[in-house]
Amino acid sequence: MITITEFQKIGVGLSGFGVFFVLFGILLYFDSVLLAFGNILFVSGLAFIIGLRRTAHFFFQRQKLRSSAAFLGGVALVLLRWPRIGMLVETYGFVLLFK
């Protein structure tokens, strides 16, 4: 049986809220504040679920550097208030990361 720690439960909640805020930000015509908040919650939730070391290892593997750069660059573009371009770049990186 798999045991789930309290940190992982918090991580699932953070990731869920992150996805919610991203979708809500897209529905509100790419509201950059909601998208940025959703991105931060999603990435921090991922770190809570699998741990900081595994998260860093996942994003910075040699074969995933281009997709990680695209995903994190898209997050940075959203934070810099370029939400449409940032979400396109982020989606490209997300698809390459999780294929």
Side-chain angles (χ1 to χ4, degrees):
M1 181 169 203
I2 297 174
T3 59
I4 298 174
T5 65
E6 293 298 317
F7 280 116
Q8 289 174 329
K9 290 177 185 177
I10 292 169
V12 169
L14 287 173
S15 295
F17 277 119
V19 169
F20 170 75
F21 278 112
V22 166
L23 291 175
F24 197 57
I26 290 172
L27 286 175
L28 291 176
Y29 300 111
F30 293 96
D31 183 37
S32 60
V33 174
L34 289 174
L35 291 173
F37 193 60
N39 286 332
I40 291 169
L41 286 174
F42 179 75
V43 172
S44 63
L46 185 64
F48 267 85
I49 292 171
I50 64 174
L52 286 174
R53 182 173 291 155
R54 285 186 181 171
T55 302
H57 180 72
F58 175 76
F59 278 110
F60 299 114
Q61 292 176 10
R62 188 168 203 57
Q63 66 269 21
K64 292 184 179 182
L65 278 180
R66 185 195 313 155
S67 55
S68 295
F71 180 75
L72 296 174
V75 170
L77 284 172
V78 168
L79 289 172
L80 293 172
R81 300 215 181 239
W82 290 52
R84 289 187 180 114
I85 296 170
M87 285 305 292
L88 285 174
V89 173
E90 186 178 336
T91 303
Y92 172 72
F94 187 83
V95 168
L96 288 181
L97 271 174
F98 296 104
K99 68 177 180 179

